[in-house]
Amino acid sequence: MSTIREQPIFSARAHIFQIDPATKRNWIPASKHALTVSYFYDATRSVYRIISVGGTKAIINSTITPNMTFTKTSQKFGQWADSRANTVYGLGFASEQHLSQFAEKFQEVKEAARLAREKSQDKTELTSPALSLTSPQILPSPIISSNGPGDDKLFRSQSADMEMTTERERIKKMLSEGSVCEVQWEAEFFTLQENNNKLVAALHEANANVEQWKKQLAAYQEETEALRLRVSELESQRGASDLPIVVKGESTPALEELEQLVKAKDEELQQLKSQKGSHWEAGSECEETHQKVQDLERRNGDLERRLTLAERSLSETLSEREKMHQEVAKVAEIMDMKIFELSELRQDLAKLVESN
């Protein structure tokens, strides 16, 4: 957690991942949603940190050093390694612009941390000059070969060990790049799957509303038809009756009331027809949404195929790495045998020199 002496200098929203400590290849989501990731500066100690808090827990607490590197592995994903925390952090951003801004700020803060370290080293040298003068600089000394016949081959064996170490580093780099691509595809797949679920839910809701409006329209139509039949019956009874004028006059208000009711229902029917047109428009929007869902499903299928190919290539790389380890083991056994033979030859030569 940041203290009062630290001040935020830059913030961004991102999905946070951490490398799996068991496999060192797969990413583990550190939060369910995007969180705020901020750069903090401690003026009293001249220290820069990247901090992100989820609830009451600090998910990221990484002190930036000059030897750190922020790597963009895709258009929306970047990562950096923290040796002090013994982990690798990954950030997935909503856009390429946000990733670029975060990477630029990382480079600025890294340069500022380098300058701060140089200033602190200069101050240390100025405050303790005797220490800097009296302490000798110890350089790694190479192996000095003697005139013996076996020392030159020992030096060549060390060169072979250095070459094998370089080859191992190259294989580790290939494996890390493969895992990064795999995580990138997994993050894109999860994002598309979430958008797909949202669109399906919206489509179901729109279909439910359309069905409800259709039922309401049918009920109004049935009620209107019933009123029309009632009015026609009353008019036929009125025309066929031979009642006096007074009786006809008494039945007139009921007919007027029914006519007004029919008129009101006709107006409601017109409104429902206009609403029906808007519902058909909503239906067309639902069709477009359904088409988008199908497109997303196709894209999901493509991503799954790409992920399968990536896993297959990764397994092939692992098999090649296993073969390389076996070859290195064989070379190491041969080198041990040669070294043993050279040591025996050297002892024999030493005995020969002593006997002469």
Side-chain angles (χ1 to χ4, degrees), residues 244-310:
I245 298 174
V246 178
V247 178
K248 292 181 181 179
E250 291 177 354
S251 62
T252 301
L255 289 175
E256 291 178 354
E257 184 179 356
L258 287 173
E259 289 177 355
Q260 291 177 359
L261 184 59
V262 170
K263 186 176 180 180
K265 291 298 180 180
D266 287 335
E267 292 176 355
E268 289 181 1
L269 185 60
Q270 293 297 328
Q271 292 178 359
L272 285 173
K273 287 182 178 179
S274 62
Q275 290 180 2
K276 185 178 179 181
S278 62
H279 296 338
W280 285 115
E281 294 177 357
S284 63
E285 292 179 357
C286 291
E287 290 293 331
E288 293 178 358
T289 306
H290 185 65
Q291 185 65 31
K292 290 181 180 178
V293 169
Q294 291 180 349
D295 293 338
L296 286 174
E297 288 177 352
R298 281 196 295 272
R299 292 180 63 186
N300 288 341
D302 293 337
L303 286 175
E304 287 177 355
R305 286 192 292 272
R306 291 171 61 188
L307 184 60
T308 304
L309 293 175

Side-chain angles (χ1 to χ4, degrees), residues 87-121:
T87 187
V88 179
Y89 294 103
L91 298 179
F93 293 88
S95 65
E96 184 178 0
Q97 182 181 2
H98 293 163
L99 173 61
S100 299
Q101 293 175 355
F102 191 89
E104 291 174 359
K105 183 58 67 173
F106 191 97
Q107 188 66 26
E108 294 176 4
V109 170
K110 174 183 173 182
E111 184 67 20
R114 184 185 65 80
L115 294 175
R117 175 178 289 186
E118 291 178 355
K119 289 182 180 179
S120 64
Q121 289 177 354

Side-chain angles (χ1 to χ4, degrees), residues 27-92:
W27 290 102
I28 300 176
S31 61
K32 296 181 179 179
H33 307 286
L35 296 177
T36 301
V37 183
S38 303
Y39 289 91
F40 279 82
Y41 174 61
D42 186 352
T44 58
R45 297 188 301 164
S46 297
V47 173
Y48 294 88
R49 290 198 298 168
I50 299 177
I51 297 175
S52 179
V53 179
T56 59
K57 179 182 177 183
I59 298 177
I60 298 178
N61 187 0
S62 178
T63 302
I64 300 177
T65 59
N67 58 351
M68 285 185 177
T69 302
F70 185 83
T71 305
K72 297 180 182 179
T73 58
S74 69
Q75 294 181 352
K76 299 180 182 179
F77 194 87
Q79 66 180 34
W80 80 97
D82 190 342
S83 59
R84 295 182 180 179
N86 193 21
T87 187
V88 179
Y89 294 103
L91 298 179

